[in-house]
Amino acid sequence: MASYLKISKKTVYRVIARWLEEAMRACGTSLRAGRRASARWTSRRWTSSAGCRRIPSSVPSASTALEQKRGTDVSARTVGRVMAVHRDLYGLGKPKRSPYQKKEMPFRAKRRHEIWTAGVRYVDHSLPGTGNVYVISVLENYSRCILASAVSRTQDTTAFLRVLYSAVERYGPPERLVTDLGGIFKASQSKAVYRVLGIEKERIERRRPYQSYIETTFNIQRKMADHHFAKAETFSELVEVHDAWRNDYNAQRHWAHEGRGDGRHSPEAVLGFYTSLLRYREEDLHRAFFSTRFSRVLDSLGYARFRDWRLYAEEGLARREATLWLQPGSLVVEYGGETLSAYDVDLTPGGEAGRKLRTVGRPRLFETSYALPQLNSSPWTTPAG
């Protein structure tokens, strides 16, 4: 602990002693009484006989964190022995193995980019006036590598397609895509993209979340990032925590790869430089997402001109190219994976190429890391010309 935190051993002992004293006081017992609170494993938490809860550390997580952060190659067995001493010191029992037999995974991939899995999870946070926040991710099943992921204020079809586009743009399309029964994954726009890119869409069985690899990854995210998500004071900090988690997850050793003999034990090492056999040019990808994605260069005041309307994005990104995602009823402007603004829109009837924005209303400007200290213009929409 002292080496990892770069503090003295005396400080570590003092903090542990204070923690023990406060923990025992909260449990209604005394450290001097010599009572050793027994512990049992229940509901995936440590529950002592006095009613206190302690969340156990993970052997793989501790080992991989030491290797990544400190450059120290400590085996999982060594970490396990240290944790055993820790349990004996604080009177914690050893968790018992689950009595349930491990179920076979129906979507286990045999090669890279054969199967991807996409999913959405809700993130607990303490940001006032922000509303719900979600993490949308795309996982490569063979390597367990996160190909694309984003923090989003919505979980609609547009938000999902933005993440899917990032993954396909970088790695090419997979042979199969696995999701749950969520509506955004079976929307008409999503099905059109699958069809154009030649992706075979599959889904897990109802009430069988174990069939989705992304659910396991989200459980890892809960352990590694949820504490920091809850402490974030701005939306930008939420994005930073998410990006740090993604980098750490992809770089650290994964328990699924411990048996490999080629020295590749992390998701990004297993994936390597491999991409899908089928790659698309940028213009072809634009055509595949033609009904949803558009690119515009912002003017000097941070506005994007789109179908005879000027839509405010972000003045701090003047002269930069932003992305507009259009779907029936809404339009979202983003840059670098961050949502800048969103609008409710009403389209004129007709073919996709000839449809215009009849009305644009309810503008919503989001906090980003690109914002200027003070705006010089009002963030509203105006008809161009």
Side-chain angles (χ1 to χ4, degrees):
M1 288 183 184
S3 175
Y4 183 79
L5 298 174
K6 297 181 179 180
I7 58 179
S8 67
K9 291 184 179 180
K10 185 179 295 186
T11 302
V12 172
Y13 286 127
R14 187 169 61 251
V15 171
I16 291 178
R18 187 169 66 246
W19 178 82
L20 280 173
E21 184 178 351
E22 293 177 355
M24 291 299 181
R25 189 183 303 115
C27 292
T29 185
S30 173
L31 191 61
R32 297 180 180 178
R35 178 186 176 188
R36 239 176 144 176
S38 62
R40 63 182 183 276
W41 180 255
T42 173
S43 300
R44 294 186 295 178
R45 291 175 181 245
W46 284 108
T47 303
S48 69
S49 59
C52 297
R53 292 186 180 270
R54 305 182 181 94
I55 301 177
S57 301
S58 167
V59 172
S61 298
S63 177
T64 55
L66 285 171
E67 181 179 357
Q68 181 192 23
K69 302 295 184 182
R70 302 290 297 172
T72 305
D73 188 8
V74 181
S75 68
R77 181 172 297 181
T78 299
V79 173
R81 287 198 298 266
V82 174
M83 292 175 63
V85 174
H86 175 85
R87 288 194 297 267
D88 292 340
L89 178 62
Y90 301 123
L92 302 176
K94 186 176 181 180
K96 298 180 180 179
R97 293 184 178 272
S98 173
Y100 300 102
Q101 186 178 4
K102 187 176 180 180
K103 299 181 183 295
E104 183 66 24
M105 291 293 293
F107 300 109
R108 184 185 299 274
K110 299 181 180 178
R111 55 187 178 275
R112 297 170 180 85
H113 299 296
E114 177 191 6
I115 305 175
W116 290 3
T117 303
V120 182
R121 72 165 291 237
Y122 170 79
V123 174
D124 287 322
H125 64 86
S126 57
L127 304 183
T130 301
N132 291 341
V133 174
Y134 307 91
V135 170
I136 306 175
S137 303
V138 175
L139 177 81
E140 203 277 321
N141 284 18
Y142 182 82
S143 64
R144 309 296 207 278
C145 187
I146 295 290
L147 304 180
S149 185
V151 180
S152 175
R153 292 179 172 88
T154 61
Q155 55 170 339
D156 54 15
T157 305
T158 300
F160 161 63
L161 290 179
R162 281 155 45 191
V163 177
L164 180 62
Y165 179 89
S166 298
V168 174
E169 182 184 33
R170 171 65 179 83
Y171 298 98
E175 299 176 25
R176 301 153 64 188
L177 178 67
V178 179
T179 68
D180 58 19
L181 303 178
I184 61 175
F185 305 121
K186 55 184 179 181
S188 299
Q189 290 176 316
S190 299
K191 290 181 178 180
V193 173
Y194 306 150
R195 185 167 52 254
V196 173
L197 298 180
I199 300 175
E200 182 181 350
K201 176 64 172 62
E202 299 191 37
R203 63 187 186 185
I204 64 175
E205 298 177 34
R206 190 181 299 275
R207 299 185 183 90
R208 297 291 188 275
Y210 68 87
Q211 296 180 352
S212 174
Y213 280 101
I214 200 73
E215 292 298 328
T216 302
T217 303
F218 284 156
N219 286 333
I220 297 175
Q221 184 185 85
R222 291 183 179 96
K223 296 179 180 179
M224 295 178 62
D226 273 18
H227 170 73
H228 304 288
F229 278 137
K231 292 176 60 178
E233 298 180 353
T234 64
F235 190 83
S236 298
E237 291 184 9
L238 280 178
V239 175
E240 292 175 2
V241 170
H242 166 269
D243 293 345
W245 165 79
R246 177 187 173 186
N247 293 335
D248 289 345
Y249 170 83
N250 283 341
Q252 293 181 3
R253 298 170 71 102
H254 197 290
W255 202 244
H257 305 314
E258 283 299 304
R260 295 182 65 95
D262 55 4
R264 299 183 178 186
H265 301 294
S266 67
E268 66 180 14
V270 173
L271 183 63
F273 59 87
Y274 292 92
T275 59
S276 174
L277 296 177
L278 181 61
R279 297 297 304 276
Y280 286 89
R281 295 177 299 177
E282 186 175 359
E283 55 269 26
D284 295 329
L285 279 182
H286 287 181
R287 191 175 302 110
F289 289 81
F290 74 98
S291 62
T292 55
R293 188 182 188 276
F294 304 88
S295 298
R296 295 293 186 273
V297 176
L298 306 182
D299 61 20
S300 59
L301 296 178
Y303 284 82
R305 178 162 179 163
F306 181 71
R307 297 188 179 180
D308 298 330
W309 284 81
R310 291 178 69 236
L311 308 167
Y312 183 78
E314 175 55 59
E315 189 173 2
L317 293 172
R319 309 301 183 186
R320 303 285 186 89
E321 183 176 317
T323 302
L324 284 71
W325 294 88
L326 177 66
Q327 68 175 0
S330 68
L331 186 147
V332 176
V333 185
E334 72 158 18
Y335 177 84
E338 289 192 45
T339 301
L340 306 176
S341 57
Y343 304 89
D344 291 344
V345 299
D346 182 24
L347 302 176
T348 59
E352 180 64 31
R355 302 182 73 179
K356 296 184 178 181
L357 303 182
R358 179 167 13 194
T359 60
V360 178
R362 208 164 71 90
R364 299 172 304 282
L365 182 63
F366 299 110
E367 174 193 3
T368 69
S369 56
Y370 309 105
L372 293 177
Q374 184 175 359
L375 293 176
N376 295 325
S377 59
S378 300
W380 297 106
T381 60
T382 59

